[in-house]
Amino acid sequence: MVSLVVPRKDCKIKSCYVHVPFCKKVCSYCDFCKNYYDEQVVSNYLDALKIEIKNNYKGEVLNTLYIGGGTPSCLSRDNLKELFKILRTLKLSKDYEFTFECNFEDITEELLSFLKENRVNRLSIGIQSFNKKYEKVLNRIIDKEKIIKNVSLSKSYFDNVNVDLMYALPNESINDLKEDLMVIVKLDVAHVSTYALIVEDHTKLKIDKIKETNEDLQNEMYYEIIKELSKNGYEHYEISNFAKTGYESKHNLTYWNNERYYGFGAGASGFVENKRYDNTKSIKNYISGKTIVYEEILDKKTLMKDEVMLNLRKTSGINKETFKNKYNISFDKAFNYKDLKLKGYLNENEANVFIPENKLFISNEIIIMLLENII
Ligand SMILES: C[S@@+](CC[C@H](N)C(=O)[O-])C[C@H]1O[C@@H](n2cnc3c(N)ncnc32)[C@H](O)[C@@H]1O
Ligand code: SF4
């Protein structure tokens, strides 16, 4: 039996992610776990999900619940009803955050009121771009008017709406990005997540030999996003995430604070006590009950490294007191970061160690250098 190196109170599970791996259309860039929508397969999948939750959920009161995909909103009403019947078994705290991912095309008054009646209080809508010229290369419907209409409709039901914006798309110019940002700002949603396009292996983009945008332009785009969104009332609280005051994603903060969470469904990952696990990405295997394909018990050194890697994604960085309380060692005794500070890669105030904004673009490199300096 591996002893726990962090107090049990820090292992309390307060979050849960549920993956719904079905889409009606597959985007050219996507390597997420998903299958083409099939009513019967979804129904069998939900049966397996019910069993996984029943066998693993210990009745904790959850602060955050996140239903992601795939495209959860593309399920038929019967399957959605079944999904929410299963989710009813999860207890939520008083000030919970319950996010449901939606495709803009699926948004109707009926869906929104159904979600609201079923405890959802946050929507995440994948927009990617308003520019029709990417429709073909992304293999995704782009309909600016409909997106604007349906995001506005969503806002009349939910005050907490996130939109995903992709940039560094093939042949995208700074001006194209500025136009997308102008529309985003006008939408006036509570939260914006941004993603530079990654050409992943085994995707149509890769097969079509589409190249990622060069680093200089990506860098310029990244800082354009920060400038525009900050100017318009969004706090840049994580490398790629922006929120109006009080609307930071509580669920994603669970990950960045290296806190525990359940991951249910095919392709989901979880972190329970000191164990990280990955579920199978094969929907067939998941339905037949072969759920977990990987698990690892983390030792103290790995836990501390994960903590640093994840905390540094937040612009506030690592809270030194929290680190000490969790690992019983002060941050400066665990990691030698003097050199990185001297070079301007890390900054520090009384409470926190963080990556300065002008270096966030190379945060991965900085994190790797810091992790090599564990004492
Ligand atoms: C879990 S995905 C799916 C969300 C939803 N199914 C949709 O497409 O609207 C969440 C986000 O990841 C981003 N994403 C997915 N694949 C990406 C890639 N290859 N490069 C950059 N961003 C990607 C997209 O912005 C997407 O909205
Ligand atoms: S990006 Fe979203 S909609 Fe497109 S294939 Fe991936 S999960 Fe499905």
Side-chain angles (χ1 to χ4, degrees), residues 224-251:
E224 180 64 30
I225 292 173
I226 296 177
K227 189 183 84 192
E228 269 316 298
L229 294 183
S230 305
K231 205 170 80 189
N232 285 285
Y234 290 91
E235 195 201 331
H236 181 205
Y237 74 105
E238 192 267 351
I239 295 176
S240 310
N241 283 277
F242 301 81
K244 295 269 175 77
T245 309
Y247 287 97
E248 295 84 3
S249 161
K250 288 186 194 172
H251 184 81

Side-chain angles (χ1 to χ4, degrees), residues 133-179:
K133 77 172 180 183
Y134 302 118
E135 202 165 58
K136 192 151 180 271
V137 69
L138 300 185
N139 195 38
R140 190 178 165 98
I141 294 170
I142 296 181
D143 180 341
K144 182 175 166 187
E145 302 314 315
K146 195 162 181 191
I147 298 172
I148 294 174
K149 186 170 155 263
N150 286 354
V151 171
S152 305
L153 185 63
S154 304
K155 278 176 58 197
S156 67
Y157 280 77
F158 298 97
D159 65 330
N160 199 349
V161 173
N162 167 64
V163 295
D164 289 343
L165 171 76
M166 282 170 87
Y167 66 100
L169 296 168
N171 299 319
E172 186 174 23
S173 68
I174 268 283
N175 273 336
D176 292 332
L177 173 67
K178 282 183 181 169
E179 280 177 22

Side-chain angles (χ1 to χ4, degrees), residues 13-274:
I13 298 177
K14 287 174 279 183
S15 291
C16 176
Y17 174 81
V18 178
H19 196 68
V20 181
F22 301 98
C23 297
K24 292 222 163 128
K25 194 169 174 128
V26 169
C27 308
S28 61
Y29 53 85
C30 182
D31 81 334
F32 280 84
C33 172
K34 82 270 160 196
N35 260 28
Y36 279 108
Y37 183 81
D38 177 295
E39 182 86 27
Q40 187 53 50
V41 178
V42 176
S43 177
N44 298 342
Y45 180 82
L46 293 176
D47 290 343
L49 180 68
K50 187 175 173 181
I51 295 169
E52 190 195 4
I53 293 180
K54 188 166 174 279
N55 289 346
N56 294 282
Y57 172 58
K58 304 271 185 318
E60 297 89 343
V61 176
L62 304 170
N63 287 342
T64 78
L65 176 55
Y66 193 108
I67 316 304
T71 314
S73 60
C74 81
L75 264 52
S76 68
R77 194 46 39 93
D78 280 350
N79 281 334
L80 267 185
K81 278 187 184 153
E82 181 55 28
L83 170 66
F84 278 94
K85 200 169 142 199
I86 298 166
L87 299 176
R88 276 262 154 222
T89 59
L90 302 171
K91 292 181 200 150
L92 296 178
S93 65
K94 251 196 196 145
D95 56 350
Y96 70 86
E97 177 191 277
F98 183 169
T99 307
F100 191 82
E101 273 184 5
C102 279
N103 185 314
F104 80 90
E105 294 157 67
D106 300 325
I107 294 174
T108 59
E109 294 239 21
E110 203 225 334
L111 176 72
L112 294 169
S113 54
F114 173 82
L115 295 175
K116 205 166 175 150
E117 279 160 23
N118 282 282
R119 305 192 292 174
V120 170
N121 58 13
R122 182 174 187 268
L123 291 190
S124 180
I125 306 172
I127 285 180
Q128 324 313 353
S129 174
F130 301 97
N131 197 328
K132 200 87 180 159
K133 77 172 180 183
Y134 302 118
E135 202 165 58
K136 192 151 180 271
V137 69
L138 300 185
N139 195 38
R140 190 178 165 98
I141 294 170
I142 296 181
D143 180 341
K144 182 175 166 187
E145 302 314 315
K146 195 162 181 191
I147 298 172
I148 294 174
K149 186 170 155 263
N150 286 354
V151 171
S152 305
L153 185 63
S154 304
K155 278 176 58 197
S156 67
Y157 280 77
F158 298 97
D159 65 330
N160 199 349
V161 173
N162 167 64
V163 295
D164 289 343
L165 171 76
M166 282 170 87
Y167 66 100
L169 296 168
N171 299 319
E172 186 174 23
S173 68
I174 268 283
N175 273 336
D176 292 332
L177 173 67
K178 282 183 181 169
E179 280 177 22
D180 273 355
L181 284 170
M182 255 169 57
V183 190
I184 291 275
V185 164
K186 271 210 198 120
L187 286 178
D188 194 33
V189 285
H191 193 281
V192 182
S193 297
T194 65
Y195 300 83
L197 174 72
I198 301 170
V199 177
E200 305 276 6
D201 288 341
H202 315 297
T203 58
K204 185 165 183 310
L205 279 190
K206 186 82 174 188
I207 295 164
D208 292 346
K209 299 195 169 54
I210 301 288
K211 293 275 168 278
E212 283 173 12
T213 303
N214 73 65
E215 264 192 28
D216 287 348
L217 182 54
Q218 278 203 36
N219 189 348
E220 196 185 338
M221 289 181 158
Y222 179 64
Y223 284 104
E224 180 64 30
I225 292 173
I226 296 177
K227 189 183 84 192
E228 269 316 298
L229 294 183
S230 305
K231 205 170 80 189
N232 285 285
Y234 290 91
E235 195 201 331
H236 181 205
Y237 74 105
E238 192 267 351
I239 295 176
S240 310
N241 283 277
F242 301 81
K244 295 269 175 77
T245 309
Y247 287 97
E248 295 84 3
S249 161
K250 288 186 194 172
H251 184 81
N252 287 344
L253 281 168
T254 304
Y255 304 145
W256 302 322
N257 288 330
N258 200 27
E259 288 166 352
R260 273 58 179 175
Y261 56 92
Y262 287 116
F264 295 131
S269 301
F271 182 25
V272 170
E273 298 213 329
N274 287 332

